Amino acid sequence: MRDRLLSRWRGIALSLVGVVAIVWLAASGQLGLYIHPRYFEFTVVMAVLAGVVVVAAFAVVPTGRADASGHDDEDAHEHEHEHPPAAPRRRGLDLVWAAAGVLVIAGTVVALLVVPPSTLTTATVDQRDLNASAAVTDSGATENLVGSDTASFTVKDWASLLRQGAGDDYFAGKSATLTGFVTPDQSDPENVFYIARFIVTCCAVDAQPVGVPVYLPDWQQSYPVDSWVTASGGFSSNPSASSTQAIAFVPAEIEAVDQPAQPYLG
Amino acid sequence: MTSDLLAPRQAPPSRRLAGRGLVVGAVLAVALLVLRSVTAGWGPEALPDRLRDFVTLSTSVVIESLPFVFLGILISIVVRFWVPDRVMHRIMPRNPALRRVTISLLGVLLPVCECGNVPLARGFMMKGFSVPEAMTFLLAAPILNPVTIVTTYQAFGWDDGILLGRILGGFAIANLVGWLFSRHPQPELLLTPAFDAACRVADGHDHDHEATGRQRSRLRRGVVAFAEETSTMLPALIVGSAIAGAIQVGVSRDVLTVLGGNPIWSVLALMILAFVIAICSNVDAFFILAFGSTFLPGGIVAFLVFGAMVDVKMITLMRTTFTTAALVRLVAVVGLASLALGFGVNLLA
């Protein structure tokens, strides 16, 4: 009985948790925190299909159990063949497995349905090199940027121009408006922070941070790490003595903003 | 099978149970939705950064893979209960090696990426495929499927033989592994005892089932099979995703990227990266393209072949079906072959 309960309801329970999580994220417009928008439709369609089967399972699986003494239920025989009356040690092992199964379900509920949806944080920026992504190190793409209209430039575009060393001449007189989250510059955390974004190609696991260095002494007072800001201003050679960045963004205006609906760049 | 005489007598209690089951299911679903809506208001800042990112990363692997696993399970159910055995056996060649070649191309018709292929391979074995045949399918299908080929082409075009290296290398390695395991005197010993038993039962039942099978009963059996397959697959998927998330939070990537530019080390470094990153073969080409331009083509091919066949999440998924000893051998062969493939491409390119 317990075997049967585990061998079927564990999957139903986990499927239901997954389906509810996906449908809720999609409905509240937060699926983008985890996967790239190109997978939205496929993910939602499969979640709904699986949801239909899960609903059917709630109707069918208990009937299967009730029929166990009748003629209809082949699966009842399967289980009798598979598991002869359990020896004491085997029963102990079964208990451990049952406990592990419950633990996995509980953990899944906590991760998918209790912990509030969230973007990645500075902890992950530290783990992965800022501006090491090919999205900003590929010189071919950057050449196209030079000479384009800067009005539509994102953090990624500016980051790649800086990374490719477009030069003081290029940045002289350019102004920009940048939105991203705040993450400290490792080489001068007092005076310099990055306005950063994550680039996601598939799902959050492959997120790669890009960012533009901003010179603003004592920035921590007003803008906590991982909070979102929009800043406008221009570029100049970096006044910081210890920062490794030659050119920095110097904001004329900067304000705290809410995290945008699509926090990652594609 | 329920005979027509018995059916009316049994219907009422089972219908009542079915109704009760539906109500329980609906209540549970609503309760979970309410739970989610309530907790969504809590600030995520309450958690320490690293723990928060661990949850986000693991969740993203689950949400990305879950639809593919569902798709794989649904297709495997269709194959098990709706495709007659005759059809499967008629289209397959008799010669074992040719059979495996044909099977390794099945992915073209069933474009499910690697995590969805585990339930599909299980379905095939319940349908009577041999263990080496199922392994060949499992390794080949994630690479030899139209979605993977198109995305790899979009990412790399014909540059440096990456696309060809992936397709031909994947095909060769899958068939090599299939051939090696076909030399095993008792291939069913490669299966976990529980799955082996399930195969025997399914084999016996599906035959007499087909003779008398009715649509409604098949639907019922399909739903029960979904419950059983998800019970096996999803815990493995979730544990695998949690391990993948933990590695992302715990291990810095700098070392791997530095090694990526060396002809020998790049292959090994990118295989390790493929193992820990655990993303789907349908999209890994975009990932590795975006990740760095300093990698040598051999390393990229090894990443694209090895990662599609073996990674953290796949190991936990495959462990549901194969014994640890079988998996160790499989990973060793695939790893060495991918390494050789990567070095070969670096030599030629």
Side-chain angles (χ1 to χ4, degrees):
Chain A
M1 190 74 163
R2 193 174 58 213
D3 263 2
R4 168 184 294 272
L5 211 64
L6 270 180
S7 75
R8 292 181 177 172
W9 289 106
R10 190 173 47 201
I12 303 290
L14 288 172
S15 304
L16 183 65
V17 171
V19 167
V20 167
I22 289 174
V23 167
W24 185 86
L25 282 172
S28 62
Q30 298 185 86
L31 208 46
L33 293 178
Y34 300 100
I35 52 174
H36 191 278
R38 82 176 89 91
Y39 305 114
F40 283 3
E41 286 156 25
F42 171 70
T43 303
V44 171
V45 167
M46 286 319 299
V48 169
L49 263 180
V52 171
V53 183
V54 168
V55 168
F58 273 101
V60 166
V61 174
T63 348
R65 193 165 55 202
D67 285 351
S69 56
H71 303 256
D72 194 8
D73 197 84
E74 302 93 322
D75 306 293
H77 299 298
E78 280 172 32
H79 280 269
E80 280 155 25
H81 293 316
E82 254 177 73
H83 306 290
R89 204 200 299 156
R90 158 102 217 209
R91 219 177 296 153
L93 204 66
D94 278 354
L95 263 182
V96 171
W97 274 114
V102 171
L103 211 66
V104 167
I105 296 176
T108 311
V109 170
V110 170
L112 292 183
L113 298 179
V114 175
V115 174
S118 154
T119 53
L120 292 167
T121 68
T122 289
T124 299
V125 177
D126 294 344
Q127 207 65 18
R128 304 172 182 193
D129 269 349
L130 191 65
N131 293 339
S133 161
V136 297
T137 56
D138 180 12
S139 51
T142 318
E143 276 162 25
N144 292 334
L145 286 176
V146 176
S148 315
D149 180 15
T150 59
S152 62
F153 278 14
T154 61
V155 169
K156 178 172 95 176
D157 300 325
W158 288 113
S160 51
L161 285 164
L162 285 167
R163 170 88 192 196
Q164 295 292 313
D168 292 350
D169 293 348
Y170 176 80
F171 287 105
K174 290 275 194 309
S175 63
T177 299
L178 302 170
T179 299
F181 63 93
V182 173
T183 192
D185 177 25
Q186 300 299 342
S187 53
D188 185 7
E190 302 289 308
N191 303 309
V192 181
F193 69 93
Y194 281 85
I195 291 185
R197 297 290 280 261
F198 281 104
I199 296 181
V200 167
T201 47
C202 161
C203 56
V205 165
D206 61 55
Q208 296 158 81
V210 296
V212 173
V214 178
Y215 182 78
L216 188 71
D218 291 332
W219 54 270
Q220 293 96 332
Q221 307 296 328
S222 341
Y223 308 103
V225 168
D226 287 330
S227 68
W228 285 74
V229 293
T230 292
S232 42
F235 295 87
S236 82
S237 55
N238 193 349
S240 158
S242 55
S243 173
T244 51
Q245 297 297 317
I247 297 174
F249 183 72
V250 182
E253 269 179 71
I254 177 166
E255 54 172 351
V257 294
D258 287 337
Q259 178 179 309
Q262 181 53 269
Y264 303 136
L265 299 174
Chain B
M1 280 307 103
T2 310
S3 78
D4 289 338
L5 277 174
L6 282 173
R9 194 162 57 83
Q10 280 191 345
S14 70
R15 206 176 296 154
R16 210 183 315 138
L17 254 176
R20 213 181 295 160
L22 273 182
V23 171
V24 171
V27 168
L28 205 58
V30 171
L32 291 178
L33 269 174
V34 169
L35 172 71
R36 173 74 286 188
S37 314
V38 170
T39 55
W42 300 354
E45 295 79 18
L47 291 177
D49 271 7
R50 287 204 157 200
L51 183 60
R52 188 173 145 191
D53 283 2
F54 162 68
V55 173
T56 306
L57 292 166
S58 306
T59 304
S60 86
V61 181
V62 172
I63 291 191
E64 185 239 5
S65 329
L66 199 54
F68 288 104
V69 174
F70 283 150
L71 181 62
I73 292 176
L74 292 177
I75 295 182
S76 91
I77 288 170
V78 170
V79 168
R80 268 172 69 187
F81 297 121
W82 276 272
V83 177
D85 287 2
R86 297 188 302 281
V87 176
M88 300 280 281
H89 293 297
R90 198 178 302 149
I91 54 174
M92 288 291 166
R94 290 270 164 78
N95 175 302
L98 280 180
R99 269 175 77 94
R100 287 194 299 270
V101 167
T102 315
I103 285 164
S104 57
L105 300 175
L106 272 183
V108 176
L109 302 175
L110 305 165
V112 180
C113 82
E114 69 253 38
C115 18
N117 276 323
V118 180
L120 204 46
R122 288 162 64 88
F124 281 146
M125 278 189 272
M126 291 193 179
K127 202 73 185 165
F129 273 38
S130 73
V131 178
E133 286 168 359
M135 280 185 174
T136 309
F137 170 77
L138 194 57
L139 298 180
I143 293 174
L144 297 170
N145 90 49
V147 183
T148 306
I149 293 173
V150 167
T151 52
T152 312
Y153 175 75
Q154 284 173 343
F156 294 104
W158 297 105
D159 291 355
D160 301 323
I162 290 174
L163 180 62
L164 278 179
R166 181 176 210 189
I167 295 175
L168 299 178
F171 175 81
I173 293 174
N175 280 283
L176 171 72
V177 170
W179 174 74
L180 279 177
F181 279 101
S182 74
R183 314 289 293 171
H184 195 289
Q186 281 175 288
E188 61 279 3
L189 290 183
L190 302 165
L191 299 176
T192 56
F195 181 68
D196 189 28
C199 280
R200 287 166 202 273
V201 172
D203 205 30
H205 277 291
D206 284 351
H207 288 299
D208 66 59
H209 183 77
E210 218 180 301
T212 49
R214 282 185 303 172
Q215 203 61 19
R216 192 160 155 269
S217 163
R218 274 192 225 187
L219 273 175
R220 270 189 48 151
R221 288 165 57 89
V223 170
V224 171
F226 180 87
E228 285 173 348
E229 282 299 292
T230 49
S231 290
T232 313
M233 290 289 121
L234 296 192
L237 172 72
I238 282 156
V239 171
S241 305
I243 296 173
I247 292 176
Q248 303 298 313
V249 178
V251 181
S252 171
R253 276 197 197 156
D254 301 359
V255 186
L256 292 179
T257 36
V258 168
L259 293 175
N262 177 298
I264 302 290
W265 288 111
S266 72
V267 179
L268 208 56
L270 286 192
M271 279 169 60
I272 296 172
L273 181 69
F275 186 78
V276 300
I277 188 97
I279 60 175
C280 274
S281 63
N282 287 347
V283 293
D284 54 1
F286 289 127
F287 167 77
I288 197 66
L289 181 69
F291 193 64
S293 49
T294 52
F295 299 141
L296 290 167
I300 294 177
V301 170
F303 173 93
L304 293 174
V305 170
F306 185 69
M309 296 180 173
V310 175
D311 60 41
V312 181
K313 186 180 56 180
M314 273 299 276
I315 295 274
T316 54
L317 283 172
M318 289 195 286
R319 186 61 188 80
T320 61
T321 308
F322 301 109
T323 61
T324 307
L327 277 188
V328 168
R329 275 173 269 172
L330 182 138
V331 173
V333 175
V334 172
L336 287 175
S338 308
L339 209 57
L341 176 68
F343 291 154
V345 172
N346 270 351
L347 269 180
L348 291 175

